């Protein structure tokens, strides 16, 4: 399989599970943590490795692995890999383009990157529609082929008949790029500067792939390529295709790694959430859940990062304190399960991760110790996970720790925007852009914690009627617009 973000907490745990199952890691990527990455390369000997931060390239020890550099390099690595599964454990907006690339290549996406659906849910939907159409077309063509053979019909093909393109052989084009003083050729690396970079000899397999239009992955439009194909019973097939096009099955292509969504999946919630009255995910409440209300606006970074349950990176821990993390997960659930009947409650022990309230009035809950290895195990290899994988067990006495709270909007004022986000999921781009910008300023001690609560409501209100972005370029443009608006608010 392929692991993106292998040096983060999710990536490290994924490698632990992969070793337990004896799985081969074909490709790995990291941003800049080269020290840990070098250890992982030595231990797992992947065929391909990629590093996003080119400034760390000279420190890389890839051994026999082929090296890719930059965002475009990571995408090219995904396309070259033969693995059918890609784990995206990259944090934040940076992970979106790689999820889209993996899905376009027909890979099964193990999703630990919330922003993929928060920001790009609409783009993912369009990709899955095309993938489902592709599968439907192949299935129909295969069925017709079998019928033809069975009936022994004679097939007459004229010389002018157009043949089906072999996309697998033609969609990857090898080329050389001039980037950062390097010319990549079949001979290896050549310096194009007066002061050539000194690189380790074992980097001879390096591929530097950066293009001006690297913002978008290449896309094969199966509808256009296949529009002249005539299928039997076209009226019936058209109705089926039209019906499926409204609600693509996200869970067919995406396996949720987040504990809340994995729990809902494990409880049997399917696309469309039929026979479900409501879905509930749980929140720990974050580091400030018991802090006096009068002190929250001036909470320090050190206080915000003291999460009571989970050991996570700074971004997710801050999002947990503002409860933005839970707003993200509400939007993620909307796309995965195709329903707006979603809510959240605070469960302090983090033993219960999700509830499903059925139409018959019963409630099912998923309980486990807080351990991300469980969803990772089922995502990496469900059969082996069922047979020989376990985490620390819950005892009966643990159930005495269960304590529930409703979400108080005086403590978590951003929670009042849950319904607005569900009504217009396109606002996920706006929320993420403003939030990540404010997070950077908060970490750099340029704003206080209360700025999240004063600025974000104004941003969401200003962009409340935003339409869904149609591509990555529109998302980038909207992000810039949102950040500029944030800056204007803070200056005024």
């Amino acid at each position: 399989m392929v692991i993106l973000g292998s040096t983060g907490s999710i990536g490290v745990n994924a490698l632990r599970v992969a070793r337990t199952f004896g799985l081969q890691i074909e490709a790995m990527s990291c941003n800049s943590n080269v020290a840990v990455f070098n250890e992982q390369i030595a231990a797992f000997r992947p065929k391909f490795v990629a590093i996003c931060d080119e400034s760390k390239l000279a420190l890389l020890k890839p051994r026999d692995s082929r090296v890719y550099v930059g965002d475009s390099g990571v995408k090219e690595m995904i396309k070259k890999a033969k693995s059918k599964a890609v784990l995206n454990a990259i944090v934040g907006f940076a992970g979106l383009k790689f999820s889209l690339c993996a899905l376009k290549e027909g890979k099964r996406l193990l999703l630990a990157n919330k922003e993929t659906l928060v920001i790009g849910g609409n783009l993912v939907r369009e990709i899955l529609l095309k993938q489902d159409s592709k599968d439907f077309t192949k299935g129909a063509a295969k069925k017709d082929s079998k019928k033809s053979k069975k009936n022994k019909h004679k097939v007459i093909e004229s010389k002018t008949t157009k043949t089906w393109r072999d996309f697998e052989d033609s969609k990857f084009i090898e080329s050389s790029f001039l980037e950062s003083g390097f010319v990549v050729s079949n001979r290896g690396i050549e310096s194009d500067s007066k002061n050539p970079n000194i690189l380790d000899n074992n980097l001879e397999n390096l591929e530097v792939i950066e293009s001006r239009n690297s913002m978008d992955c290449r896309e094969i439009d199966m509808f256009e390529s296949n529009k002249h194909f005539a299928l039997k019973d076209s009226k019936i097939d058209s109705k089926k295709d039209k019906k499926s096009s409204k609600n693509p099955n996200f869970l067919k292509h995406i396996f949720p790694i987040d504990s809340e969504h994995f729990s809902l999946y494990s409880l049997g919630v399917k696309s469309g959430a039929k026979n479900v009255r409501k879905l509930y995910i749980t929140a720990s409440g974050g580091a400030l859940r018991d802090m006096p209300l009068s002190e929250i606006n001036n909470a320090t970074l050190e206080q915000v990062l003291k999460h009571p349950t989970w050991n996570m990176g700074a971004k997710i821990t801050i999002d947990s304190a503002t409860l933005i993390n839970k707003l993200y997960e509400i939007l993620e659930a909307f796309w995965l399960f195709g329903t707006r009947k979603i809510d959240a409650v605070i469960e302090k022990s983090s033993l219960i991760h999700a509830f499903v309230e059925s139409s018959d009035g019963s409630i099912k809950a998923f309980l486990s110790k807080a351990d991300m290895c469980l969803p990772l195990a089922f995502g990496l290899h469900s059969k082996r996970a069922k047979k020989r994988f376990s985490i620390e067990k819950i005892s009966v006495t643990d159930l005495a720790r269960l304590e529930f709270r409703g979400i108080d909007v005086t403590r978590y004022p951003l929670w009042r925007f849950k319904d607005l986000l569900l009504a217009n999921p396109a606002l996920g781009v706006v929320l993420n852009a403003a939030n990540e910008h404010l997070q950077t300023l908060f970490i750099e001690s340029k704003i206080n914690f209360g700025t999240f609560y004063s600025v974000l409501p104004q941003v969401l209100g200003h962009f409340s009627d935003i339409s869904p972005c149609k591509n990555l370029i529109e998302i980038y443009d909207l992000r810039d617009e949102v950040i500029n608006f944030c800056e204007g608010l803070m200056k005024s």
Side-chain angles (χ1 to χ4, degrees):
M1 66 174 305
V2 177
I3 297 181
L4 307 179
S6 65
T7 59
S9 60
I10 297 291
V12 169
N13 281 323
L15 288 173
R16 286 172 52 200
V17 174
R19 174 173 283 169
T20 300
F21 289 164
L23 298 179
Q24 176 65 39
I25 306 301
E26 183 185 13
M28 301 189 305
S29 81
C30 83
N31 181 37
S32 59
N33 192 348
V34 180
V36 173
F37 199 43
N38 284 336
E39 293 176 2
Q40 293 175 341
I41 293 170
F44 290 90
R45 299 298 181 96
K47 183 177 180 180
F48 307 123
V49 296
I51 183 167
C52 291
D53 187 350
E54 189 175 345
S55 67
K56 304 290 184 180
L57 180 60
L59 302 175
L60 189 66
K61 298 178 180 178
R63 297 179 180 263
D64 297 325
S65 304
R66 189 168 195 174
V67 180
Y68 294 87
V69 178
D71 289 354
S72 293
V74 176
K75 288 187 284 188
E76 194 68 16
M77 181 182 76
I78 292 170
K79 296 171 186 177
K80 289 286 181 68
K82 295 182 180 179
S83 300
K84 295 181 180 179
V86 174
L87 169 63
N88 188 349
I90 294 173
V91 177
F93 177 79
L96 170 62
K97 51 185 168 289
F98 305 129
S99 290
L100 298 179
C101 180
L103 291 172
K104 287 177 182 178
E105 294 301 311
K107 311 282 189 184
R108 181 170 179 257
L109 180 62
L110 312 184
L111 187 61
N113 175 267
K114 293 179 175 64
E115 289 74 11
T116 291
L117 294 177
V118 171
I119 303 168
N122 189 58
L123 303 188
V124 171
R125 178 182 179 277
E126 294 304 313
I127 293 172
L128 298 190
L129 285 175
K130 292 173 184 178
Q131 291 292 351
D132 288 344
S133 174
K134 178 181 177 181
D135 294 342
F136 176 78
T137 301
K138 284 184 176 179
K142 187 176 181 181
K143 185 177 180 180
D144 285 347
S145 177
K146 286 182 178 179
K147 286 182 179 180
S148 179
K149 289 181 180 179
K150 184 177 180 181
N151 297 327
K152 298 182 180 180
H153 288 167
K154 189 175 181 180
V155 180
I156 302 174
E157 192 171 298
S158 68
K159 294 181 179 180
T160 58
T161 301
K162 292 184 179 180
T163 58
W164 179 253
R165 290 179 59 194
D166 186 354
F167 286 105
E168 292 301 321
D169 291 335
S170 65
K171 64 182 177 181
F172 301 128
I173 301 173
E174 294 294 328
S175 59
S176 298
F177 295 87
L178 177 63
E179 182 71 22
S180 302
F182 293 111
V183 175
V184 182
S185 67
N186 293 330
R187 298 189 302 276
I189 304 175
E190 302 173 358
S191 176
D192 194 44
S193 62
K194 295 180 180 180
N195 299 311
N197 290 271
I198 300 174
L199 294 177
D200 196 307
N201 290 333
N202 57 16
L203 292 182
E204 62 183 9
N205 290 326
L206 174 68
E207 276 194 35
V208 179
I209 303 175
E210 287 287 356
S211 62
R212 293 179 181 177
N213 59 351
S214 62
M215 191 178 295
D216 288 307
C217 302
R218 291 190 299 272
E219 179 174 301
I220 300 171
D221 192 331
M222 298 302 299
F223 279 126
E224 282 299 311
S225 299
N226 204 36
K227 65 182 178 181
H228 297 298
F229 272 61
L231 301 176
K232 293 182 179 181
D233 302 322
S234 60
K235 291 183 179 180
I236 297 174
D237 293 338
S238 177
K239 289 180 180 179
K240 288 182 180 179
D241 190 49
K242 186 176 181 181
K243 183 178 180 181
S244 64
S245 69
K246 293 180 181 178
N247 298 299
N249 189 346
F250 278 68
L251 296 173
K252 177 183 175 182
H253 305 271
I254 300 174
F255 186 90
I257 298 299
D258 271 352
S259 60
E260 295 82 2
H261 307 92
F262 168 73
S263 299
L264 291 172
Y265 173 84
S266 299
L267 288 169
V269 182
K270 298 180 180 179
S271 181
K274 295 180 180 178
N275 300 320
V276 170
R277 184 175 293 171
K278 204 159 194 178
L279 305 179
Y280 291 91
I281 57 177
T282 61
S284 66
L288 308 182
R289 71 183 179 200
D290 299 315
M291 176 178 282
L293 290 175
S294 59
E295 299 177 13
I296 288 178
N297 282 349
N298 294 313
T300 65
L301 178 61
E302 183 181 4
Q303 290 173 313
V304 171
L305 293 181
K306 288 183 180 179
H307 196 279
T309 307
W310 299 91
N311 181 18
M312 307 175 292
K315 182 190 184 308
I316 299 177
T317 308
I318 296 171
D319 285 345
S320 181
T322 59
L323 223 63
I324 286 177
N325 193 48
K326 211 52 53 178
L327 290 174
Y328 284 176
E329 290 171 2
I330 289 285
L331 282 176
E332 195 175 358
F334 161 77
W335 289 108
L336 285 172
F337 302 105
T339 180
R340 288 183 169 86
K341 298 179 289 187
I342 314 163
D343 209 339
V345 295
I346 291 176
E347 199 285 286
K348 292 178 65 174
S349 70
S350 293
L351 289 174
I352 295 183
H353 306 290
F355 297 95
V356 175
E357 183 181 355
S358 300
S359 300
D360 60 11
S362 63
I363 293 179
K364 294 185 292 184
F366 188 94
L367 292 81
S368 74
K369 289 292 181 70
D371 192 335
M372 291 303 298
C373 286
L374 185 62
L376 284 167
F378 278 85
L380 266 61
H381 204 299
S382 61
K383 291 183 179 179
R384 293 183 187 178
K386 291 175 182 178
K387 288 182 179 180
R388 54 184 180 92
F389 185 83
S390 65
I391 59 174
E392 184 183 354
K393 296 180 180 179
I394 293 178
S395 68
V396 176
T397 55
D398 286 327
L399 300 182
R401 295 164 47 201
L402 297 177
E403 181 182 342
F404 301 96
R405 294 183 189 176
I407 297 177
D408 181 4
V409 293
T410 58
R411 180 174 293 276
Y412 304 102
L414 297 176
W415 187 249
R416 61 169 56 96
F417 295 98
K418 173 183 74 74
D419 292 336
L420 176 65
L421 290 166
L422 282 172
N424 185 7
L427 277 170
V429 180
V430 176
L431 177 63
N432 176 261
N435 180 54
E436 288 195 0
H437 181 63
L438 293 179
Q439 271 208 8
T440 300
L441 298 177
F442 178 64
I443 291 172
E444 295 173 353
S445 300
K446 294 180 179 179
I447 60 172
N448 66 6
F449 188 76
T451 306
F452 287 98
Y453 299 144
S454 62
V455 170
L456 287 176
Q458 296 182 70
V459 174
L460 290 172
H462 180 78
F463 291 93
S464 60
D465 295 327
I466 198 76
S467 298
C469 293
K470 297 177 181 179
N471 51 54
L472 276 174
I473 294 176
E474 289 188 7
I475 289 177
Y476 277 88
D477 289 342
L478 179 56
R479 279 176 58 84
D480 290 342
E481 185 180 350
V482 170
I483 291 172
N484 289 334
F485 184 75
C486 280
E487 287 294 323
L489 288 175
M490 288 185 287
K491 287 178 181 178
S492 62

